[in-house]
Amino acid sequence: MSRVNSYPIIIQGGMGAGISNWELARAVSRLGQLGVVSGTALDQILVRRLQDGDPGGHMRRGLDRFPFRKMAERIWETYYIPGGKSEKQSYKSLPKHSKDSPRELIELCVVANFVEVTLAREGHDNPVGINYLEKIQIPHLSSLYGAMLAGVEYVLMGAGIPLKIPGVLDRLANHEPASYQLQVTGAQDGDDTTITFVPRDFMDRELPPLLRPDFLAIVASNTLAVTLLKKANGRVDGFIVEGPTAGGHNAPPRGKLQLNEAGEPIYGERDIVDLEKLRQLGLPFWLAGGYGSAEKLREALAEGATGVQVGTAFAFCAESGLREDYKQALVKKAISGKAKVFTDPLASPTSFPFKVAKLEGTVSEREVYAARPRICDLGYLTEAYRTADGTIGYRCAAEPVSVYLSKGGKEENTVDRKCLCNALMSNIRFPQVRGGGGYVEKGMVTSGDDLSEISSFMSSDSSVYNAADVIAILLAPDPALDASDQGLIPCTGNTAFPSHVLQREG
Ligand SMILES: Cc1cc2nc3c(=O)[nH]c(=O)nc-3n(C[C@H](O)[C@H](O)[C@H](O)COP(=O)(O)O)c2cc1C
């Protein structure tokens, strides 16, 4: 199945884990722009929501729509706790992902991705997208299949080179078996590094073919865009061009890593994407990283972009999954001009630079980081490596140093590495509780440099704003043009959208 495209002007960027949840994506898509749920760690997020008693009954509603009933019920029966677990009780551990993950975990990925997309699609007919990090490879196939069962219309992927995802989408749309090559450090010819997912092993009845979502690759260089077009095993539908001021992980600077006085990576001329060359590729593209304002949106359109992808502005709005205490504290810092974002070259076990908002009581502070026992129990960012006996092992540079070294990891890789998995779960109100409440995992918020600009979405007497405020402000008429030039027409919600920024045929 395919469809005629009409492309969004604003893409609300995928923000993992659980920051761009179904509520945020639904709010954005309802207004006719593209809401994108984060597909990162949704298995973990679903089971934690269920152990918290499924407030609002949203997970139950999503599970009820899942086509293969028994799979959904197994999950409900295993994880749902009526009224929620006690504050001192730990969340149940899931097995870590591995090339041959247990069926239970694969089912969870299928169902959790289905639920998130289903809920984001509720109450409107507009497209919804899902975002993944290429580096988190193992859950890709089952996650994509779950999202596609729910009718996801866009798949956006960055943090890696997703050459083989387009072909996977083609196969999964027809419920055909799909494979993905796991990157294994030290792998040798003849090693089996292929992950395979067979939809019919999970289906309890035949279904018609699924929509093949559009695939948008997130790139930070012309070379990567060209490589994807030349070498991908299927259709690439467009690009998100993301610069180094964007929140989340950033592409490392080209060439040898150099740091400024504060210890942040220095980006230079070579890191700037040549938009003329990009335009020549003939595909729609969106600009990301500091494009959260009407002026920047107009600038992007003038550059030939279809629109912009915005993260930071949406991360702090009312509908985002970020926990309320962190959200309010950072909004207040932004309003008072005290917000600080540090591009940390070491924090992420992926070794990509990771933007961290400074906030008291979070792992962004040295003492909080130092007080955390190094534990690796979620394992989404592990590196697969070849062990001495030729099997595949998994290590994370943020796990206990002695364990990492025993797996052949280098000591220098462990310095200042942070457990993003646990911190990101804490950011969205699902901190793991250890030792009967003795230790509760602390969060660490990522944000783009635009954090200092978010006060523009609020009135002077409020520290709260909605996704609709962000969209309305981004689409505000150009004060340099009069109304007749802007072709103002009424649109969804109570905002008048200029016609030049409405959806258009691609
Ligand atoms: C809190 C947060 C989490 C993010 N997580 C992801 C992610 O999981 N995957 C991804 O591709 N991009 C991620 N991003 C990047 C956004 O999708 C988007 O491209 C970026 O925020 C745009 O730049 P801006 O922050 O200046 O608006 C994240 C950004 C933020 C602010």
Side-chain angles (χ1 to χ4, degrees), residues 13-16 19 40 131 133 218 242 245-248 288-290 309-312 315 446-448 450:
M15 295 181 280
I19 300 289
T40 301
N131 170 280
L133 302 176
I218 303 169
E242 199 185 68
T245 64
Q309 171 166 289
V310 174
T312 298
T446 179
S447 167
D450 256 6

Side-chain angles (χ1 to χ4, degrees), residues 206-225:
E206 274 305 305
L207 291 177
L210 305 171
L211 178 82
R212 192 279 195 188
D214 273 8
F215 179 68
L216 305 183
I218 303 169
V219 300
S221 73
N222 294 97
T223 317
L224 181 52

Side-chain angles (χ1 to χ4, degrees), residues 118-179:
T118 296
L119 295 175
R121 293 188 72 218
E122 266 184 349
H124 62 89
D125 294 323
N126 296 324
V128 162
I130 195 159
N131 170 280
Y132 301 99
L133 302 176
E134 201 280 332
K135 282 224 169 202
I136 307 183
Q137 297 184 317
I138 300 174
H140 280 340
L141 300 174
S142 49
S143 300
L144 283 167
Y145 186 63
M148 287 170 67
L149 278 175
V152 79
E153 274 145 310
Y154 288 87
V155 169
L156 300 89
M157 197 179 277
I161 309 179
L163 287 175
K164 305 289 182 203
I165 293 293
V168 163
L169 299 179
D170 295 333
R171 295 190 66 79
L172 293 181
N174 291 310
H175 309 284
E176 287 167 1
S179 305

Side-chain angles (χ1 to χ4, degrees), residues 10-16 19-20 24 28 34-38 131 156 218 240 242 288 308-312 314-315:
I10 300 172
I11 299 178
Q12 160 260 302
M15 295 181 280
I19 300 289
S20 64
L24 175 57
V28 172
L34 184 64
V36 177
V37 295
S38 163
N131 170 280
L156 300 89
I218 303 169
I240 313 286
E242 199 185 68
V308 294
Q309 171 166 289
V310 174
T312 298
F314 288 110

Side-chain angles (χ1 to χ4, degrees), residues 191-207:
D191 286 354
D192 176 13
T193 57
T194 308
I195 302 170
T196 301
F197 175 78
V198 182
R200 289 200 165 77
D201 286 352
F202 296 84
M203 295 164 71
D204 62 16
R205 66 192 156 92
E206 274 305 305
L207 291 177

Side-chain angles (χ1 to χ4, degrees), residues 347 349 372 374-376 396-400 404 414 417-420:
R372 178 185 183 271
R374 269 175 102 113
I375 294 172
C376 176
C396 176
E399 73 186 325
Y404 184 70
T414 64
R417 287 289 195 262
K418 312 213 155 80
C419 176
L420 292 196

